[in-house]
Amino acid sequence: MSEVFRQIGKPSPGGIVCAADHASNRVPEDIDLCIPERLLHEHIAVDIGTEAIAERLARSHAIPAHIAAVSRLVCDFNREEDAPGLVPETSDGHPIPGNIGADREARLNRFHRPYHTALAGWLDEAYPALVLSLHSFTPRLETSDAARPWQVGVLYNQDERAARIAVPILEAEGLCVGDNLPYSGRDLNYTMNRHAEAQGRPYLGIEIRQDLAANAQDHARWADLLADVAQRVASALG
């Protein structure tokens, strides 16, 4: 569809849609980040598991997905345009030499703005009942000794409507749920701030721990669970 994003499925009014900002580890051939190849398969480059889960949500559960098609190390779509981390020069202790001195405006025009313009138009046409924001997190940061015991997190900024419904549903599944953890949506929530909170759209921000989203069986399980939770949340919101 473009070098910046893919869209799977067609949204319908009153339905549920999914956005996956960090689903890809792709780096365009004309950009050299000057990092070891192995880092492109780590959490600093991609939200592990989210692409496959978003695809399953779209193809098996009729939850259309807007999926990033470029690595967050090239341009982080879940950051404000003036945020230092939009074109990160370091990530979890790893230097990203190819981003030092990078043309931020060029990255914004090529990646960030087209991603969000397309997402805005997609949502405006759909009038969704709920936006599912899909991310994943590493069990432990390399720059911290703090454990991250949560199996799934529910993130939000000011609009807690969907979160307050989803947290007890997920806990009832026997999961250790982070309420605005492993980090707070009040600090990092750009995509949902722009496309959901600013528009009055309910949204459910989900963070899955990456060691629990490592293979096809995991992806299917999470897609099944999130589809059910999202439907129940949307129904409760009316």
Side-chain angles (χ1 to χ4, degrees), residues 70-97:
V70 67
S71 173
R72 64 191 299 177
L73 292 180
V74 174
C75 185
D76 193 326
F77 297 132
N78 197 32
R79 297 292 185 275
E80 292 79 4
E81 289 198 6
D82 60 353
L86 182 123
V87 182
E89 296 183 0
T90 64
S91 183
D92 198 14
H94 296 281
I96 317 297

PDB file of all heavy atoms in Angstrom, residues 70-97:
ATOM      1  N   VAL A  70       7.530   0.426   8.762  1.00  0.00           N
ATOM      2  CA  VAL A  70       8.911   0.879   8.889  1.00  0.00           C
ATOM      3  C   VAL A  70       9.286   0.859  10.367  1.00  0.00           C
ATOM      4  O   VAL A  70       8.428   1.047  11.239  1.00  0.00           O
ATOM      5  CB  VAL A  70       9.095   2.284   8.268  1.00  0.00           C
ATOM      6  CG1 VAL A  70       8.338   3.340   9.069  1.00  0.00           C
ATOM      7  CG2 VAL A  70      10.563   2.670   8.162  1.00  0.00           C
ATOM      8  N   SER A  71      10.545   0.598  10.659  1.00  0.00           N
ATOM      9  CA  SER A  71      10.989   0.461  12.039  1.00  0.00           C
ATOM     10  C   SER A  71      10.886   1.765  12.822  1.00  0.00           C
ATOM     11  O   SER A  71      11.103   2.858  12.284  1.00  0.00           O
ATOM     12  CB  SER A  71      12.450  -0.024  12.072  1.00  0.00           C
ATOM     13  OG  SER A  71      12.958  -0.005  13.397  1.00  0.00           O
ATOM     14  N   ARG A  72      10.626   1.623  14.099  1.00  0.00           N
ATOM     15  CA  ARG A  72      10.600   2.777  15.000  1.00  0.00           C
ATOM     16  C   ARG A  72      11.973   3.440  15.099  1.00  0.00           C
ATOM     17  O   ARG A  72      12.072   4.589  15.538  1.00  0.00           O
ATOM     18  CB  ARG A  72      10.120   2.331  16.380  1.00  0.00           C
ATOM     19  CG  ARG A  72      11.060   1.342  17.070  1.00  0.00           C
ATOM     20  CD  ARG A  72      10.450   0.707  18.292  1.00  0.00           C
ATOM     21  NE  ARG A  72      10.103   1.701  19.302  1.00  0.00           N
ATOM     22  CZ  ARG A  72       9.507   1.401  20.451  1.00  0.00           C
ATOM     23  NH1 ARG A  72       9.180   0.150  20.733  1.00  0.00           N
ATOM     24  NH2 ARG A  72       9.237   2.338  21.318  1.00  0.00           N
ATOM     25  N   LEU A  73      13.042   2.717  14.739  1.00  0.00           N
ATOM     26  CA  LEU A  73      14.369   3.329  14.742  1.00  0.00           C
ATOM     27  C   LEU A  73      14.555   4.294  13.586  1.00  0.00           C
ATOM     28  O   LEU A  73      15.406   5.185  13.647  1.00  0.00           O
ATOM     29  CB  LEU A  73      15.458   2.253  14.689  1.00  0.00           C
ATOM     30  CG  LEU A  73      15.595   1.359  15.920  1.00  0.00           C
ATOM     31  CD1 LEU A  73      16.713   0.356  15.727  1.00  0.00           C
ATOM     32  CD2 LEU A  73      15.834   2.197  17.183  1.00  0.00           C
ATOM     33  N   VAL A  74      13.786   4.131  12.536  1.00  0.00           N
ATOM     34  CA  VAL A  74      13.813   5.072  11.410  1.00  0.00           C
ATOM     35  C   VAL A  74      12.965   6.289  11.743  1.00  0.00           C
ATOM     36  O   VAL A  74      13.382   7.438  11.558  1.00  0.00           O
ATOM     37  CB  VAL A  74      13.304   4.392  10.123  1.00  0.00           C
ATOM     38  CG1 VAL A  74      13.185   5.414   8.980  1.00  0.00           C
ATOM     39  CG2 VAL A  74      14.233   3.259   9.720  1.00  0.00           C
ATOM     40  N   CYS A  75      11.764   6.034  12.239  1.00  0.00           N
ATOM     41  CA  CYS A  75      10.851   7.106  12.641  1.00  0.00           C
ATOM     42  C   CYS A  75       9.816   6.505  13.581  1.00  0.00           C
ATOM     43  O   CYS A  75       9.140   5.538  13.213  1.00  0.00           O
ATOM     44  CB  CYS A  75      10.171   7.713  11.414  1.00  0.00           C
ATOM     45  SG  CYS A  75       9.140   9.147  11.776  1.00  0.00           S
ATOM     46  N   ASP A  76       9.714   7.051  14.773  1.00  0.00           N
ATOM     47  CA  ASP A  76       8.790   6.512  15.772  1.00  0.00           C
ATOM     48  C   ASP A  76       7.440   7.207  15.623  1.00  0.00           C
ATOM     49  O   ASP A  76       7.291   8.389  15.933  1.00  0.00           O
ATOM     50  CB  ASP A  76       9.357   6.722  17.171  1.00  0.00           C
ATOM     51  CG  ASP A  76       8.607   5.907  18.214  1.00  0.00           C
ATOM     52  OD1 ASP A  76       7.380   5.722  18.052  1.00  0.00           O
ATOM     53  OD2 ASP A  76       9.241   5.452  19.176  1.00  0.00           O
ATOM     54  N   PHE A  77       6.454   6.458  15.161  1.00  0.00           N
ATOM     55  CA  PHE A  77       5.148   7.040  14.894  1.00  0.00           C
ATOM     56  C   PHE A  77       4.385   7.404  16.163  1.00  0.00           C
ATOM     57  O   PHE A  77       3.434   8.186  16.097  1.00  0.00           O
ATOM     58  CB  PHE A  77       4.307   6.064  14.061  1.00  0.00           C
ATOM     59  CG  PHE A  77       4.885   5.776  12.700  1.00  0.00           C
ATOM     60  CD1 PHE A  77       4.995   4.469  12.241  1.00  0.00           C
ATOM     61  CD2 PHE A  77       5.333   6.798  11.895  1.00  0.00           C
ATOM     62  CE1 PHE A  77       5.516   4.203  10.994  1.00  0.00           C
ATOM     63  CE2 PHE A  77       5.865   6.545  10.644  1.00  0.00           C
ATOM     64  CZ  PHE A  77       5.955   5.244  10.188  1.00  0.00           C
ATOM     65  N   ASN A  78       4.778   6.844  17.299  1.00  0.00           N
ATOM     66  CA  ASN A  78       4.078   7.132  18.552  1.00  0.00           C
ATOM     67  C   ASN A  78       4.795   8.211  19.360  1.00  0.00           C
ATOM     68  O   ASN A  78       4.804   8.179  20.589  1.00  0.00           O
ATOM     69  CB  ASN A  78       3.938   5.859  19.391  1.00  0.00           C
ATOM     70  CG  ASN A  78       2.881   5.999  20.477  1.00  0.00           C
ATOM     71  OD1 ASN A  78       1.883   6.696  20.308  1.00  0.00           O
ATOM     72  ND2 ASN A  78       3.093   5.335  21.599  1.00  0.00           N
ATOM     73  N   ARG A  79       5.372   9.158  18.654  1.00  0.00           N
ATOM     74  CA  ARG A  79       6.046  10.299  19.282  1.00  0.00           C
ATOM     75  C   ARG A  79       5.576  11.586  18.615  1.00  0.00           C
ATOM     76  O   ARG A  79       5.312  11.617  17.405  1.00  0.00           O
ATOM     77  CB  ARG A  79       7.565  10.203  19.151  1.00  0.00           C
ATOM     78  CG  ARG A  79       8.199   9.006  19.833  1.00  0.00           C
ATOM     79  CD  ARG A  79       8.106   9.094  21.344  1.00  0.00           C
ATOM     80  NE  ARG A  79       8.827   8.009  21.989  1.00  0.00           N
ATOM     81  CZ  ARG A  79       8.338   6.795  22.224  1.00  0.00           C
ATOM     82  NH1 ARG A  79       7.101   6.488  21.841  1.00  0.00           N
ATOM     83  NH2 ARG A  79       9.069   5.875  22.827  1.00  0.00           N
ATOM     84  N   GLU A  80       5.502  12.664  19.402  1.00  0.00           N
ATOM     85  CA  GLU A  80       5.182  13.972  18.850  1.00  0.00           C
ATOM     86  C   GLU A  80       6.259  14.391  17.847  1.00  0.00           C
ATOM     87  O   GLU A  80       7.400  13.929  17.914  1.00  0.00           O
ATOM     88  CB  GLU A  80       5.094  15.016  19.966  1.00  0.00           C
ATOM     89  CG  GLU A  80       3.924  14.826  20.909  1.00  0.00           C
ATOM     90  CD  GLU A  80       4.158  13.739  21.972  1.00  0.00           C
ATOM     91  OE1 GLU A  80       5.280  13.179  22.009  1.00  0.00           O
ATOM     92  OE2 GLU A  80       3.227  13.466  22.747  1.00  0.00           O
ATOM     93  N   GLU A  81       5.905  15.272  16.943  1.00  0.00           N
ATOM     94  CA  GLU A  81       6.841  15.672  15.894  1.00  0.00           C
ATOM     95  C   GLU A  81       8.119  16.304  16.447  1.00  0.00           C
ATOM     96  O   GLU A  81       9.182  16.190  15.835  1.00  0.00           O
ATOM     97  CB  GLU A  81       6.172  16.631  14.908  1.00  0.00           C
ATOM     98  CG  GLU A  81       5.146  15.963  14.017  1.00  0.00           C
ATOM     99  CD  GLU A  81       4.807  16.788  12.795  1.00  0.00           C
ATOM    100  OE1 GLU A  81       5.455  17.843  12.583  1.00  0.00           O
ATOM    101  OE2 GLU A  81       3.910  16.381  12.031  1.00  0.00           O
ATOM    102  N   ASP A  82       8.028  16.946  17.606  1.00  0.00           N
ATOM    103  CA  ASP A  82       9.216  17.593  18.171  1.00  0.00           C
ATOM    104  C   ASP A  82       9.883  16.749  19.254  1.00  0.00           C
ATOM    105  O   ASP A  82      10.825  17.205  19.911  1.00  0.00           O
ATOM    106  CB  ASP A  82       8.869  18.969  18.727  1.00  0.00           C
ATOM    107  CG  ASP A  82       7.819  18.922  19.840  1.00  0.00           C
ATOM    108  OD1 ASP A  82       7.247  17.836  20.094  1.00  0.00           O
ATOM    109  OD2 ASP A  82       7.554  19.982  20.450  1.00  0.00           O
ATOM    110  N   ALA A  83       9.436  15.518  19.454  1.00  0.00           N
ATOM    111  CA  ALA A  83      10.007  14.669  20.498  1.00  0.00           C
ATOM    112  C   ALA A  83      11.403  14.197  20.104  1.00  0.00           C
ATOM    113  O   ALA A  83      11.616  13.782  18.961  1.00  0.00           O
ATOM    114  CB  ALA A  83       9.114  13.460  20.746  1.00  0.00           C
ATOM    115  N   PRO A  84      12.373  14.237  21.029  1.00  0.00           N
ATOM    116  CA  PRO A  84      13.729  13.771  20.702  1.00  0.00           C
ATOM    117  C   PRO A  84      13.754  12.332  20.204  1.00  0.00           C
ATOM    118  O   PRO A  84      14.535  11.988  19.326  1.00  0.00           O
ATOM    119  CB  PRO A  84      14.474  13.911  22.040  1.00  0.00           C
ATOM    120  CG  PRO A  84      13.716  14.953  22.795  1.00  0.00           C
ATOM    121  CD  PRO A  84      12.283  14.781  22.396  1.00  0.00           C
ATOM    122  N   GLY A  85      12.877  11.483  20.733  1.00  0.00           N
ATOM    123  CA  GLY A  85      12.877  10.081  20.367  1.00  0.00           C
ATOM    124  C   GLY A  85      12.233   9.767  19.032  1.00  0.00           C
ATOM    125  O   GLY A  85      12.192   8.597  18.629  1.00  0.00           O
ATOM    126  N   LEU A  86      11.748  10.758  18.326  1.00  0.00           N
ATOM    127  CA  LEU A  86      11.128  10.502  17.027  1.00  0.00           C
ATOM    128  C   LEU A  86      12.132   9.891  16.055  1.00  0.00           C
ATOM    129  O   LEU A  86      11.809   8.975  15.301  1.00  0.00           O
ATOM    130  CB  LEU A  86      10.552  11.795  16.451  1.00  0.00           C
ATOM    131  CG  LEU A  86       9.829  11.620  15.121  1.00  0.00           C
ATOM    132  CD1 LEU A  86       8.403  12.109  15.196  1.00  0.00           C
ATOM    133  CD2 LEU A  86      10.562  12.355  14.007  1.00  0.00           C
ATOM    134  N   VAL A  87      13.358  10.402  16.063  1.00  0.00           N
ATOM    135  CA  VAL A  87      14.470   9.802  15.312  1.00  0.00           C
ATOM    136  C   VAL A  87      15.547   9.520  16.348  1.00  0.00           C
ATOM    137  O   VAL A  87      16.432  10.340  16.587  1.00  0.00           O
ATOM    138  CB  VAL A  87      14.986  10.739  14.205  1.00  0.00           C
ATOM    139  CG1 VAL A  87      16.113  10.075  13.417  1.00  0.00           C
ATOM    140  CG2 VAL A  87      13.855  11.132  13.259  1.00  0.00           C
ATOM    141  N   PRO A  88      15.496   8.358  17.011  1.00  0.00           N
ATOM    142  CA  PRO A  88      16.338   8.128  18.193  1.00  0.00           C
ATOM    143  C   PRO A  88      17.817   7.986  17.855  1.00  0.00           C
ATOM    144  O   PRO A  88      18.193   7.260  16.929  1.00  0.00           O
ATOM    145  CB  PRO A  88      15.781   6.821  18.758  1.00  0.00           C
ATOM    146  CG  PRO A  88      15.166   6.133  17.583  1.00  0.00           C
ATOM    147  CD  PRO A  88      14.619   7.221  16.715  1.00  0.00           C
ATOM    148  N   GLU A  89      18.636   8.661  18.637  1.00  0.00           N
ATOM    149  CA  GLU A  89      20.086   8.532  18.482  1.00  0.00           C
ATOM    150  C   GLU A  89      20.636   7.439  19.391  1.00  0.00           C
ATOM    151  O   GLU A  89      21.741   6.939  19.166  1.00  0.00           O
ATOM    152  CB  GLU A  89      20.758   9.868  18.764  1.00  0.00           C
ATOM    153  CG  GLU A  89      20.364  10.942  17.753  1.00  0.00           C
ATOM    154  CD  GLU A  89      21.082  12.260  17.961  1.00  0.00           C
ATOM    155  OE1 GLU A  89      21.914  12.345  18.921  1.00  0.00           O
ATOM    156  OE2 GLU A  89      20.834  13.199  17.194  1.00  0.00           O
ATOM    157  N   THR A  90      19.870   7.074  20.405  1.00  0.00           N
ATOM    158  CA  THR A  90      20.173   5.914  21.252  1.00  0.00           C
ATOM    159  C   THR A  90      18.851   5.252  21.613  1.00  0.00           C
ATOM    160  O   THR A  90      17.797   5.902  21.618  1.00  0.00           O
ATOM    161  CB  THR A  90      20.905   6.291  22.554  1.00  0.00           C
ATOM    162  OG1 THR A  90      20.035   7.110  23.357  1.00  0.00           O
ATOM    163  CG2 THR A  90      22.200   7.028  22.266  1.00  0.00           C
ATOM    164  N   SER A  91      18.906   3.951  21.927  1.00  0.00           N
ATOM    165  CA  SER A  91      17.710   3.248  22.379  1.00  0.00           C
ATOM    166  C   SER A  91      18.122   2.126  23.316  1.00  0.00           C
ATOM    167  O   SER A  91      18.895   1.240  22.925  1.00  0.00           O
ATOM    168  CB  SER A  91      16.930   2.688  21.189  1.00  0.00           C
ATOM    169  OG  SER A  91      15.738   2.078  21.634  1.00  0.00           O
ATOM    170  N   ASP A  92      17.632   2.196  24.545  1.00  0.00           N
ATOM    171  CA  ASP A  92      17.942   1.214  25.593  1.00  0.00           C
ATOM    172  C   ASP A  92      19.448   0.935  25.664  1.00  0.00           C
ATOM    173  O   ASP A  92      19.876  -0.218  25.742  1.00  0.00           O
ATOM    174  CB  ASP A  92      17.166  -0.075  25.365  1.00  0.00           C
ATOM    175  CG  ASP A  92      17.098  -0.950  26.629  1.00  0.00           C
ATOM    176  OD1 ASP A  92      17.407  -0.442  27.726  1.00  0.00           O
ATOM    177  OD2 ASP A  92      16.747  -2.140  26.495  1.00  0.00           O
ATOM    178  N   GLY A  93      20.224   1.996  25.634  1.00  0.00           N
ATOM    179  CA  GLY A  93      21.667   1.888  25.787  1.00  0.00           C
ATOM    180  C   GLY A  93      22.437   1.640  24.504  1.00  0.00           C
ATOM    181  O   GLY A  93      23.676   1.642  24.511  1.00  0.00           O
ATOM    182  N   HIS A  94      21.745   1.423  23.381  1.00  0.00           N
ATOM    183  CA  HIS A  94      22.417   1.164  22.109  1.00  0.00           C
ATOM    184  C   HIS A  94      22.484   2.447  21.271  1.00  0.00           C
ATOM    185  O   HIS A  94      21.442   3.046  20.985  1.00  0.00           O
ATOM    186  CB  HIS A  94      21.661   0.097  21.310  1.00  0.00           C
ATOM    187  CG  HIS A  94      21.627  -1.236  21.969  1.00  0.00           C
ATOM    188  ND1 HIS A  94      22.699  -2.102  21.941  1.00  0.00           N
ATOM    189  CD2 HIS A  94      20.648  -1.855  22.681  1.00  0.00           C
ATOM    190  CE1 HIS A  94      22.386  -3.200  22.606  1.00  0.00           C
ATOM    191  NE2 HIS A  94      21.154  -3.077  23.070  1.00  0.00           N
ATOM    192  N   PRO A  95      23.669   2.867  20.866  1.00  0.00           N
ATOM    193  CA  PRO A  95      23.757   4.025  19.979  1.00  0.00           C
ATOM    194  C   PRO A  95      23.228   3.682  18.589  1.00  0.00           C
ATOM    195  O   PRO A  95      23.379   2.557  18.108  1.00  0.00           O
ATOM    196  CB  PRO A  95      25.255   4.326  19.933  1.00  0.00           C
ATOM    197  CG  PRO A  95      25.919   3.035  20.273  1.00  0.00           C
ATOM    198  CD  PRO A  95      24.998   2.314  21.210  1.00  0.00           C
ATOM    199  N   ILE A  96      22.588   4.658  17.964  1.00  0.00           N
ATOM    200  CA  ILE A  96      22.091   4.527  16.592  1.00  0.00           C
ATOM    201  C   ILE A  96      22.829   5.563  15.754  1.00  0.00           C
ATOM    202  O   ILE A  96      22.323   6.664  15.485  1.00  0.00           O
ATOM    203  CB  ILE A  96      20.565   4.739  16.512  1.00  0.00           C
ATOM    204  CG1 ILE A  96      19.836   4.020  17.647  1.00  0.00           C
ATOM    205  CG2 ILE A  96      20.039   4.291  15.142  1.00  0.00           C
ATOM    206  CD1 ILE A  96      19.977   2.509  17.628  1.00  0.00           C
ATOM    207  N   PRO A  97      24.074   5.276  15.363  1.00  0.00           N
ATOM    208  CA  PRO A  97      24.929   6.300  14.726  1.00  0.00           C
ATOM    209  C   PRO A  97      24.325   6.898  13.468  1.00  0.00           C
ATOM    210  O   PRO A  97      24.521   8.095  13.181  1.00  0.00           O
ATOM    211  CB  PRO A  97      26.214   5.535  14.404  1.00  0.00           C
ATOM    212  CG  PRO A  97      26.221   4.373  15.355  1.00  0.00           C
ATOM    213  CD  PRO A  97      24.786   3.998  15.530  1.00  0.00           C
TER     214      PRO A  97
END
